[in-house]
Amino acid sequence: MINVSGLTVRFGGVTPLDGMDVAFDAGTCGLIGPNGAGKTTFFNVLSGFVQPAGGGIEAFGENLLKMTHFRRARWGVRRTFQTEQAIEELSVYDNVAMVHEHSKLGSGSRREETLAAIDFVGIKADPSAKVGTLGAGERRLVEVARAVVGKPRLVLLDEPAAGLPDEETEHLGEVIRRIPEQTGAMTILVDHDMSLVSACCATTAVLDFGKLLATGPTAEVLRDEKVIRAYLGTEEVL
Amino acid sequence: MSTADDTTASTTTDGQAAPEAPAPGPGATRSRITPRNAIRPALIVALLAFVLLAFPSIFSLYYIDAWTQVAIYSIVTLGLGVLVGRVGMVSLGQGAVLAMGAWVAARLLFATGLPFPIVLLAAGVITMALGTLVGLPALRMSGLYLALITLMLAGAITVALSNINFPNGGSGFTGYNGASVHIPPIRRPSVATTDPAFFRYSVVVAILMFLLVLFHIRGRPGRAWAAIRQSESAALAAGINTTFYKLWAFALASFVTGVAGALVAGSFRYLNSLTFATQDSITLLAVVLMGGAYSMSGAIVAAFLLKFLQALLNDWSVSPDWLTILFGIGVLQVLTTAPRGIVEQLPKDLARLGRLVRGLFTRTAPAGGQAE
Amino acid sequence: MPSWTDVEQFLVTGLSLGGVYALSGVGMVVLYRATGVLNLAFGAVGAMGALIAWQLINHAGFGFWPAFAVSVLFGGVITLAYGMVFGPALAMRDPLVKATATLGLTLVLLGVMDLLWPSSGGASRALTVPTDNNTFQVGQISVTYTNVIALALGLVVTVITGLFLRFTKLGTAMRAMANDREITATLGVPVRRVTAAAWFGCGCLSGVAGVLLADLVALDSTTLTFLVISTLAATLIGRLRSIPITFVAALVIGLVSSELTPISSVSNYRDMTPFVLAAIALLVLNRRRVISVGRQGV
């Protein structure tokens, strides 16, 4: 359970998040909204890269904002970014094991859990292959593996399917659906691909101008007039 | 990139993926030691043995001293290479760090009877402490600001050193006696008092420093540094305490440079502030960029460019200023075309040359065969 | 303890130096804002300009002012040439890379200067501005017209640049480019011409600063090249952004380092002033941790 109350972020003259109030339940939740709605800013607040001007976030009973960024990651906040971040010079194994290495888990189970994560996301390449040699789809899978290895508590996926062909998006969707049951973590998925969101997320929240616009079961939210208006900018579909 | 320089021994020797995931060792899938990937380390060992044993017989004392400088400065370029190539931090103050190490070593060598190896270690540790102290607040800054702070630090230390001077056997904190007429030379290790012996000593110390750095690169710090260089935010999101690892890199670079400073003291035997000019910190960066900041062999190439060419030109009575100009051009060339330096660019250029040559001999090959 | 006369006398030197640092700093900030390049070769260009002026005066019968004009022109042309040749190649890179590249230019210039004007131990060169000989008294202290010119130029350059950036088309274009080069280009701003103007202007200021510092400090390639550190400190305190703050910081740096001269216990360390001041300022101003985005280093 993540409770966001009155979250506000200001950069100079811009207010990307404006009194955001939302609760995320367990499982996989979608977070959608038009460009500039504040989704990535919200993720950046969760990751600890941005200090909010006001408001609070309570995650599984803990005050998230009290922890510094890397400590949150060690506590269990995992994240993928819009641009590729897997380390090219290192192998698949090292990329994933690194996250395990820097978490609070011991080295005893590292090998096992790293390979399990690599297996879970379905990477076909040899774990000892350098990430730089892999294609875009597999690199994304490496990033997802990094997000789910060990004991994650909150997995934030920021447009993981961007730029991927349909087949790989489908596979990604299957992986994302299974994250909560496999790891016990809660997942928040940000994406513009509505079929992916529909396929993976039981509930979805919609952000617009830094505020919560709608929240609820995904199918209902996607049909909601307010939401459609926010995306299209008109009341009637001409 | 050769396997000896890899951050991890990553590719399996036959390049084939096993049907099931192989059972990897902790931290990496280490390749089994097979004839094929034992060749490179064996060659390196052979080359080093040759250098240690044969060089003093081949080269005159003048050039042995030049090679000694190459060995010593390869440690400095190695440290800077870790900062620039592995972590992505540009330091324009390594010359000053070297001077600090030399100062500490000279002070200890005059004031105490400690054996040279202990002095080496002490110089390394003290320099590391000072470097870390200065580095800590600076690490919060972005790349450009860090570079500028280190540049100004270099200038400041040069001023300080030209005032307190290098120890020359005097007493007091600075160990400098301005009135001394007869200045004793800085003492050398008891096993290496002659120039050829000191050459061998320096090479051995350099090898040890390289091993120390290699150990870091292949271990947890090396992987964390690779993550930080790729993207600091992603590294933080992976749970890496980036400030800690950046500091560690700073500390490592300062330590090895401090040790090198002690070797400089033993090599030159008489030090003054002219030995360490502010400009040297910049030429250090220049040669590291030219040689290739990322690879360890690049560090040796950089030291060769810096010190051996200088000795060569001096021998031929050509002004060393030509080297300064060369290094300046080198920086511009590297930054605009080959960001990873000569060591990476040269094999690519040679490979292209090789393909061209092969193309000449396979004119009868079908179209689309050897086409470049 | 230094006497009050000493303090006042060094006030004059301090303000003159500060004035030169100010005009240098303003030049560097404008160039940075227009191109993202922090021109670390500023000092070296000025040094060579000063040496060329010296050569013309002492070995080619030039008068001072024509030689000074040549120095200024040299500074402008060589900086412009650098900008036109290497600017485009590095335009998309990080400011760190761009600044490091100017170090390449610095090394080339240092090498050329030492080749053409070797420091033959003993005979040192000197460059004197004719206005050194015109002095007037303010109470106990003597002020040369050079001092006045240095400070006045610093002030004038700062004010004119501020007005220029705010009120002229070219200046507004430069401010726009500091924000986003590509968007500015699509608005029809002649980006290449604006950049060229910035490079040339900064270069000319190098030439001016070089000659003045050669007079006020020393005509020595290394000294003049690394005096850029004082200017850098001022620009850093101004966050590479604010012209007024750079101006004030430059004056403070000049004043502090000069005023330390008569205090015998720290006099030799006065050259550490720019570093100390910049370090303090950076640590205070950059309290909030910057988390860099994207690939680090060069």
Side-chain angles (χ1 to χ4, degrees):
Chain A
M1 266 291 281
I2 312 261
N3 261 319
V4 181
S5 39
L7 196 63
T8 305
V9 171
R10 290 198 194 96
F11 291 138
V14 194
T15 311
L17 290 182
D18 193 3
M20 182 183 173
D21 284 296
V22 63
F24 294 95
D25 293 317
T28 310
C29 309
L31 180 62
I32 63 175
N35 274 325
K39 309 185 294 290
T40 302
T41 308
F42 176 57
F43 270 15
N44 284 337
V45 174
L46 284 171
S47 292
F49 300 145
V50 171
Q51 299 301 325
I57 302 180
E58 198 200 310
F60 304 108
E62 302 228 24
N63 181 357
L64 206 60
L65 295 177
K66 272 233 194 90
M67 293 187 251
T68 54
H69 27 50
F70 69 87
R71 293 231 164 78
R72 285 187 216 184
R74 291 183 185 179
W75 175 85
V77 177
R78 305 288 183 77
R79 172 176 178 171
T80 66
F81 292 78
Q82 281 183 18
T83 52
E84 272 176 33
Q85 302 295 353
I87 303 154
E88 294 176 8
E89 303 96 84
L90 301 182
S91 66
V92 172
Y93 180 89
D94 279 337
N95 263 281
V96 180
M98 180 187 307
V99 177
H100 194 285
E101 197 170 45
H102 291 276
S103 68
K104 295 188 203 159
L105 307 165
S107 55
S109 57
R110 188 163 305 150
R111 206 164 84 205
E112 192 187 305
E113 294 187 351
T114 305
L115 290 172
I118 295 175
D119 191 50
F120 169 72
V121 300
I123 293 175
K124 296 202 192 74
D126 190 313
S128 60
K130 280 195 184 171
V131 166
T133 62
L134 301 180
E138 292 237 281
R139 289 198 208 192
R140 278 297 159 85
L141 290 177
V142 172
E143 288 177 43
V144 178
R146 282 164 57 131
V148 302
V149 70
K151 293 185 176 35
R153 296 202 204 194
L154 175 61
V155 176
L156 307 172
L157 302 170
D158 199 345
E159 299 191 36
L164 292 183
D166 289 338
E167 186 184 285
E168 298 185 20
T169 306
E170 236 184 86
H171 171 75
L172 197 58
E174 278 164 40
V175 172
I176 294 173
R177 254 204 309 270
R178 287 189 292 133
I179 292 178
E181 75 179 67
Q182 180 82 2
T183 63
M186 205 187 100
T187 307
I188 303 182
L189 169 67
V190 165
D191 211 291
H192 288 295
D193 185 338
M194 294 308 162
S195 53
L196 180 67
V197 175
S198 307
C200 301
C201 312
T203 58
T204 299
V206 184
L207 226 55
D208 194 19
F209 292 116
K211 280 193 166 69
L212 184 71
L213 188 61
T215 182
T218 307
E220 279 176 35
V221 164
L222 289 180
R223 279 200 303 265
D224 188 327
E225 241 180 52
K226 285 185 296 178
V227 175
I228 297 176
R229 211 181 306 147
Y231 268 98
L232 295 179
T234 59
E235 269 196 45
E236 299 130 53
V237 179
L238 296 165
Chain B
M1 284 279 295
S2 59
T3 44
D5 297 345
D6 284 349
T7 52
T8 57
S10 47
T11 47
T12 52
T13 46
D14 52 15
Q16 304 288 323
E20 308 96 35
T29 47
R30 292 203 196 291
S31 6
R32 294 166 290 273
I33 299 177
T34 66
R36 236 180 84 181
N37 68 351
I39 285 184
R40 204 171 192 282
L43 274 176
I44 293 176
V45 172
L47 184 64
L48 287 173
F50 176 73
V51 166
L52 274 171
L53 299 171
F55 265 36
S57 336
I58 303 176
F59 292 96
S60 64
L61 271 182
Y62 176 77
Y63 282 105
I64 282 296
D65 178 66
W67 285 117
T68 310
Q69 300 309 309
V70 172
I72 296 175
Y73 278 81
S74 66
I75 303 174
V76 184
T77 53
L78 180 70
L80 185 53
V82 167
L83 287 177
V84 175
R86 299 274 163 178
V87 190
M89 301 197 290
V90 171
S91 164
L92 290 170
Q94 291 307 98
V97 178
L98 183 68
M100 279 199 288
W103 192 93
V104 169
R107 192 76 189 84
L108 288 173
L109 287 167
F110 275 125
T112 69
L114 289 171
F116 204 89
I118 305 287
V119 174
L120 274 179
L121 268 175
V125 169
I126 295 175
T127 310
M128 178 175 79
L130 289 172
T132 316
L133 211 67
V134 173
L136 185 54
L139 286 178
R140 323 187 93 240
M141 303 177 200
S142 73
L144 179 62
Y145 283 101
L146 178 68
L148 296 173
I149 278 280
T150 51
L151 176 65
M152 291 192 286
L153 178 67
I157 290 186
T158 313
V159 171
L161 280 176
S162 62
N163 282 303
I164 64 176
N165 291 294
F166 280 89
N168 63 356
S171 53
F173 177 71
T174 64
Y176 176 74
N177 187 339
S180 276
V181 173
H182 173 66
I183 303 169
I186 295 174
R187 123 176 101 89
R188 278 191 175 174
S190 45
V191 302
T193 48
T194 65
D195 283 351
F198 195 78
F199 161 72
R200 292 193 170 112
Y201 193 88
S202 304
V203 172
V204 169
V205 173
I207 292 173
L208 290 174
M209 293 299 107
F210 270 71
L211 287 174
L212 178 67
V213 169
L214 189 66
F215 182 71
H216 276 79
I217 289 177
R218 291 204 178 198
R220 187 194 282 218
R223 290 190 291 274
W225 293 335
I228 294 171
R229 188 167 64 127
Q230 174 92 18
S231 161
E232 197 176 345
S233 43
L236 287 168
I240 296 175
N241 184 345
T242 56
T243 308
F244 174 74
Y245 283 99
K246 282 161 112 173
L247 207 60
W248 193 342
F250 230 77
L252 178 66
S254 303
F255 174 77
V256 302
T257 308
V259 168
L263 288 176
V264 168
S267 156
F268 281 45
R269 315 201 72 177
Y270 298 96
L271 297 174
N272 57 60
S273 52
L274 292 175
T275 324
F276 308 95
T278 314
Q279 184 179 325
D280 294 344
S281 291
I282 300 181
T283 44
L284 263 173
L285 179 67
V287 294
V288 166
L289 288 176
M290 288 167 77
Y294 192 74
S295 67
M296 297 180 83
S297 43
I300 302 178
V301 171
F304 179 85
L305 287 172
L306 186 65
K307 288 291 161 186
F308 195 81
L309 289 187
Q310 185 180 50
L312 212 54
L313 288 189
N314 199 22
D315 200 19
W316 299 337
S317 302
V318 177
S319 169
D321 298 320
W322 288 106
L323 274 183
T324 313
I325 297 175
L326 174 73
F327 296 155
I329 296 175
V331 168
L332 291 167
Q333 203 267 349
V334 167
L335 291 180
T336 52
T337 58
R340 285 195 155 195
I342 295 177
V343 173
E344 291 230 0
Q345 190 61 24
L346 197 59
K348 288 189 203 158
D349 290 336
L350 288 176
R352 265 226 312 258
L353 192 64
R355 281 200 292 274
L356 273 170
V357 172
R358 273 205 304 274
L360 287 174
F361 288 104
T362 54
R363 246 168 236 263
T364 52
Q370 293 282 347
E372 164 61 39
Chain C
M1 270 306 291
S3 69
W4 187 243
T5 323
D6 280 338
V7 171
E8 290 181 331
Q9 188 62 56
F10 283 104
L11 194 76
V12 174
T13 330
L15 286 174
S16 322
L17 279 178
V20 184
Y21 296 154
L23 66 89
S24 310
V26 166
M28 283 177 77
V29 169
V30 170
L31 183 66
Y32 181 77
R33 286 172 62 176
T35 61
V37 179
L38 189 58
N39 183 13
L40 299 176
F42 189 94
V45 171
M48 187 144 169
L51 282 168
I52 291 178
W54 177 89
Q55 186 76 21
L56 291 174
I57 294 172
N58 290 291
H59 291 90
F62 271 58
F64 173 80
W65 297 105
F68 179 69
V70 171
S71 170
V72 174
L73 198 63
F74 169 81
V77 166
I78 224 180
T79 308
L80 176 66
Y82 173 85
M84 293 296 105
V85 171
F86 292 99
L90 298 169
M92 292 294 126
R93 308 285 298 269
D94 193 73
L96 175 61
V97 178
K98 293 176 178 175
T100 309
T102 61
L103 286 179
L105 177 63
T106 308
L107 286 178
V108 171
L109 289 174
L110 276 171
V112 169
M113 283 192 281
D114 284 343
L115 270 181
L116 294 179
W117 293 280
S119 40
S120 41
S124 56
R125 303 178 185 90
L127 188 63
T128 26
V129 181
T131 48
D132 275 3
N133 303 321
N134 308 355
T135 62
F136 58 91
Q137 295 290 116
V138 177
Q140 295 258 27
I141 48 179
S142 56
V143 181
T144 69
Y145 273 102
T146 315
N147 296 130
V148 175
I149 289 178
L151 180 59
L153 272 179
L155 195 57
V156 163
V157 166
T158 305
V159 169
I160 289 188
T161 309
L163 295 173
F164 168 80
L165 285 178
R166 193 175 284 260
F167 294 116
T168 67
K169 259 205 299 205
L170 193 60
T172 316
M174 277 191 200
R175 280 191 299 142
M177 277 168 53
N179 285 332
D180 196 310
R181 223 181 145 83
E182 278 173 33
I183 291 181
T184 316
T186 63
L187 291 175
V189 173
V191 167
R192 284 209 72 182
R193 240 186 289 159
V194 175
T195 344
W199 283 106
F200 186 73
C202 181
C204 288
L205 288 174
S206 292
V208 172
V211 169
L212 286 173
L213 288 173
D215 174 283
L216 292 168
V217 182
L219 178 55
D220 169 67
S221 59
T222 313
T223 311
L224 290 175
T225 300
F226 288 106
L227 274 177
V228 74
I229 290 180
S230 297
T231 307
L232 255 182
T235 61
L236 287 177
I237 294 173
R239 313 295 290 288
L240 293 175
R241 229 184 2 239
S242 160
I243 304 251
I245 297 184
T246 306
F247 174 75
V248 173
L251 286 184
V252 170
I253 290 172
L255 276 171
V256 172
S257 47
S258 285
E259 287 297 353
L260 290 180
T261 320
I263 305 174
S264 49
S265 50
V266 293
S267 180
N268 286 331
Y269 296 93
R270 67 181 183 281
D271 290 333
M272 290 173 80
T273 310
F275 164 69
V276 174
L277 289 178
I280 296 174
L282 278 182
L283 293 174
V284 167
L285 295 172
N286 276 12
R287 254 183 329 246
R288 205 153 41 101
R289 172 68 187 287
V290 173
I291 297 172
S292 6
V293 178
R295 202 164 177 93
Q296 311 260 320
V298 297

